């Protein structure tokens, strides 16, 4: 049942993509969204800025990278658009997979970032959420950002610990005791205990509970069926 008040004016929307077929598909899709009115179309950054100047709009749904024009593209284009039209809600659709670029776009205060690999129905979810002044990040983008965060955490651990300390902590985080680890690695129990304590001190971990939590958050928990190599523990 549609409970929308017919007296409510539609959300005037400009759409932008440098691929004509994608632009047409966006228009066909969004024309079916309740309360959305397409008032402008653009195929490059210059056209986007011109359309936003020509017509009053509350929402822009744009590709992140569009060739041509004089305003650049990607993060710089979004930054300039935000500066010129701070009240317009921006929904970004993109094939970008670089976490740093995606994080920069989100940090600019856009309403949503959705991968073109996500389900098409999520575009409507993104628009509704963005218009409610909440930031929506699609599942594919969330996955990319989570992987990048985990990778940075793994790099941090590898910088702080020696290879042998990381090896011991990785085995310990899997649930093995120091005696079993000593047998597996061919070292004495005393050596394994010392390396575990040194590693915990370097990471400012006070207890085994802290260690297990840290290991889970930093990608150190290994698959018990793989043989438990340090490289497998650090891979993402």
């Amino acid at each position: 049942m549609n409970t929308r008040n017919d007296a409510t004016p539609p959300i005037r929307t400009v759409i932008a993509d440098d691929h004509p077929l994608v632009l047409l598909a966006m228009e066909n899709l969004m024309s079916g969204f309740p309360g959305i009115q397409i008032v402008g179309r653009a195929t490059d950054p210059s056209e986007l800025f011109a359309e936003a100047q020509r017509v009053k709009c509350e929402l822009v749904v744009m590709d992140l990278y569009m060739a041509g024009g004089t305003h650049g593209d990607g993060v710089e284009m979004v930054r300039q658009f935000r500066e010129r039209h701070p009240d317009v809600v921006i929904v970004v659709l993109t094939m970008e997979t670089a976490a740093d670029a995606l994080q920069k776009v989100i940090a600019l205060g856009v309403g949503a970032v959705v991968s073109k690999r996500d389900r098409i129905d999520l575009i409507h979810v993104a628009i509704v959420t963005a218009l409610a002044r909440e930031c929506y990040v699609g599942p594919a983008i969330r996955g990319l950002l989570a992987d990048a965060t985990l990778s940075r955490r793994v790099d941090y651990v590898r910088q702080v610990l020696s290879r042998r300390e990381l090896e011991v902590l990785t085995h310990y985080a899997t649930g093995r005791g120091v005696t079993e680890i000593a047998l597996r690695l061919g070292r004495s129990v005393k050596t394994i205990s010392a390396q575990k304590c040194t590693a915990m001190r370097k990471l400012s971990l006070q207890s085994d509970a802290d260690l297990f939590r840290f290991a889970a958050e930093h990608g150190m928990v290994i698959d018990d069926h793989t043989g438990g190599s340090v490289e497998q523990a650090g891979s993402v």
Side-chain angles (χ1 to χ4, degrees), residues 113-124:
V113 182
V114 180
S115 171
K116 291 182 178 180
R117 297 179 177 87
D118 282 327
R119 301 193 323 270
I120 194 168
D121 60 295
L122 292 180
I123 296 176
H124 187 232

Side-chain angles (χ1 to χ4, degrees), residues 156-202:
Y156 164 74
V157 174
R158 285 175 170 167
Q159 291 170 7
V160 172
L161 303 183
S162 71
R163 183 185 64 80
R164 291 198 167 195
E165 289 164 353
L166 175 57
E167 194 173 29
V168 169
L169 232 60
T170 299
H171 280 288
Y172 196 83
T174 306
R176 299 187 178 105
V178 292
T179 301
E180 182 183 357
I181 297 171
L183 289 171
R184 280 177 173 263
L185 300 182
R187 303 173 204 164
S188 69
V189 171
K190 182 178 180 180
T191 298
I192 295 298
S193 295
Q195 289 170 338
K196 171 179 175 284
C197 291
T198 300
M200 290 182 65
R201 183 171 64 253
K202 287 182 177 180

Side-chain angles (χ1 to χ4, degrees), residues 49-72:
F49 281 78
E51 285 294 272
Q53 188 68 31
R54 182 183 68 83
V55 298
K56 182 175 176 58
C57 64
E58 292 80 39
L59 173 68
V60 165
V61 180
M62 66 167 72
D63 189 10
L64 183 57
Y65 296 107
M66 294 184 288
T70 59
H71 296 277

Side-chain angles (χ1 to χ4, degrees), residues 29 33 91 111-112 114 119-132 134-139 142:
L29 175 69
F33 293 168
V91 171
V114 180
R119 301 193 323 270
I120 194 168
D121 60 295
L122 292 180
I123 296 176
H124 187 232
V125 176
I127 290 173
V128 171
T129 304
L131 290 173
E134 298 179 13
C135 183
Y136 177 86
V137 179
R142 290 198 301 270

